[in-house]
Amino acid sequence: MDWHRTLRGTPLAAVLVLGLVASWPGNGFAGPREQAKRMHDRLVGVPPSEAVLTSMQSSIEVDNDPVAAAHTAMANPIFYISSLKNFATPWTNVPQTVFEDLNDYTATVIGMIRDDVPFDQVLYGDIVYTGAGGGYSQTDNVHYQQLEQNRADLSDPNVLVRRLQSTLPGGPLPAAATAGVLTTRAAGEAFFSAGTNRRMWRFTAMNFLCRDMEQLNDITRPADRIRQDIGRSPGGDSRIFHNTCVGCHSGMDPLSGAYAFFEWDEAAARVVYTPGNVSAKHLINANTYPGGYVTIDDSWINLWRAGPNSSLGWRGATSSGNGMKSLGMEVSASRAFSECQVEKVFRRVCLRAPESATDRAAVQTIADDFEAGNRSMKLVFAETAAFCMGN
């Protein structure tokens, strides 16, 4: 069997050779039919029909094209209704649990993957997916709960429909203020409620850069944009501030200025956008350190383009801007964003983190293909499933 043949014209073939060599039938491991079933089970979560299994087997065995086999598996509606819903749901809530209802955030991720919308737009697009029949509300999640309860076929573009977020009924957002899933109602409820809006940055980094604040910690950045609510001498010891607090806040506070005009209204259960008016939470506890930074607008600056976090591969058009949309462009243009999407899919499909040198090489190659392939998440799922189908 000629495993060196190019797969769908992508450069992944060389990496697939390394991943598949242990599963060659001649080595006594799973054959093409077993590999096809394993691929389907991992992608979809249910066994394939005999016809689908035979088609996938033929793609692997005859056409030497396991990527095509993966696309066959992903045609199953359950891939969208269940697998992708479970894939994206932890991104939408602070506990990162999968046990949450469908909402506008998860539905938008599902729809974007289904329609091959370039996935960098997930952080800046004027985009949202709703049910075709209307009923979207800015103040509750009933619309999406009903879609889920009715087992709506989310693989059908006539059932789950792409819309402009800025045109939703009762919406507070103009097109210039939309930022993909970050300005959905679900994201607002989870990450703009209470607190100081820094939580939105933390979970954006966790979900789309695969880094929590511990991994982003850098005490070498200047502290001039750290807000007034952070004490400079915690417990009377300024060393704690300079050696600990600065590590997160010197980078996070300049970025979280992008959220200055956003708030979650607990009583109305909705996102509130007040252009030109900084939300009160950005100005709380000003007496903690009156000499700290005062938020006066929604400007942001990425100080992590220099120092250790330059390794994230920032490639946006500008290192500063105003509002969530431009910050979303900065994040989604980074190399870390591309690698993170592949790593998340790898864990989902391969049932392990990428650990070996071969795994890490596959992540890099699939990330290259993601960037060259119009940021297609379907391609990421397909190539990752092809790489992992033998183990």
Side-chain angles (χ1 to χ4, degrees), residues 22-341:
S23 64
W24 286 350
N27 288 346
F29 290 84
R33 193 167 186 84
E34 291 75 17
Q35 290 172 341
K37 184 178 185 305
R38 179 180 293 133
M39 178 187 288
H40 193 283
D41 289 348
R42 290 183 177 182
L43 282 170
V44 184
V46 297
S49 68
E50 282 299 310
V52 167
L53 183 59
T54 297
S55 174
M56 292 176 65
Q57 177 185 354
S58 178
S59 294
I60 295 169
E61 186 172 26
V62 179
D63 300 330
N64 202 14
D65 194 350
V67 173
H71 279 281
T72 299
M74 288 188 290
N76 191 317
I78 296 176
F79 174 70
Y80 299 94
I81 296 170
S82 179
S83 294
L84 286 186
K85 195 262 184 180
N86 291 337
F87 175 65
T89 296
W91 313 351
T92 71
N93 60 88
V94 172
Q96 297 185 297
T97 178
V98 72
F99 301 108
E100 292 284 349
D101 294 329
L102 183 73
N103 55 50
D104 52 354
Y105 189 135
T106 48
T108 299
V109 171
I110 292 167
M112 290 182 69
I113 295 176
R114 183 197 68 195
D115 295 345
D116 254 343
V117 178
F119 202 66
D120 56 338
Q121 294 184 30
V122 75
L123 296 185
Y124 66 82
D126 183 4
I127 184 172
V128 69
Y129 279 77
T130 74
Y136 179 91
S137 172
Q138 299 283 354
T139 59
D140 63 55
N141 193 47
V142 173
H143 175 67
Y144 293 96
Q145 292 170 330
Q146 291 175 343
L147 286 175
E148 189 167 25
Q149 290 164 3
N150 294 333
R151 298 290 289 175
D153 183 359
L154 305 183
S155 71
D156 186 346
N158 295 312
V159 173
L160 185 66
V161 179
R162 177 178 178 175
R163 302 187 189 282
L164 295 175
Q165 196 176 134
S166 59
T167 63
L168 289 174
L173 297 180
T178 57
V181 296
L182 302 184
T183 46
T184 58
R185 181 183 180 277
E189 183 174 23
F191 309 129
F192 282 144
S193 59
T196 59
N197 277 4
R198 293 180 176 102
R199 187 190 306 162
M200 179 62 83
W201 167 256
R202 182 194 174 206
F203 281 88
T204 298
M206 290 171 66
N207 292 327
F208 296 102
L209 296 175
C210 292
R211 268 92 168 165
D212 202 347
M213 296 310 300
E214 290 81 2
Q215 290 78 48
L216 294 170
N217 191 289
D218 173 14
I219 63 173
T220 69
R221 299 301 92 208
D224 58 318
R225 290 278 297 231
I226 298 180
R227 293 186 218 161
Q228 295 173 309
D229 61 330
I230 303 300
R232 270 47 173 186
S233 297
D237 188 348
S238 63
R239 292 173 299 179
I240 296 175
F241 172 75
H242 290 292
N243 295 325
T244 303
C245 304
V246 165
C248 293
H249 284 281
S250 62
M252 173 171 58
D253 282 21
L255 292 168
S256 62
Y259 316 131
F261 300 157
F262 284 86
E263 176 64 283
W264 175 256
D265 186 329
E266 194 70 39
R270 64 171 296 157
V271 173
V272 175
Y273 174 63
T274 55
N277 295 310
V278 175
S279 68
K281 63 174 57 177
H282 283 259
L283 304 171
I284 63 172
N285 299 323
N287 290 329
T288 301
Y289 185 73
Y293 182 76
V294 180
T295 303
I296 60 172
D297 56 23
D298 65 347
S299 63
W300 60 268
I301 182 170
N302 184 4
L303 298 180
W304 282 331
R305 282 207 178 196
N309 289 319
S310 62
S311 63
L312 274 65
W314 305 103
R315 301 172 297 192
T318 176
S319 62
S320 62
N322 287 83
M324 292 180 67
K325 184 183 288 290
S326 61
L327 179 57
M329 292 178 180
E330 168 77 344
V331 173
S332 62
S334 69
R335 176 64 180 187
F337 174 86
S338 300
E339 293 174 359
C340 180
Q341 309 324 303

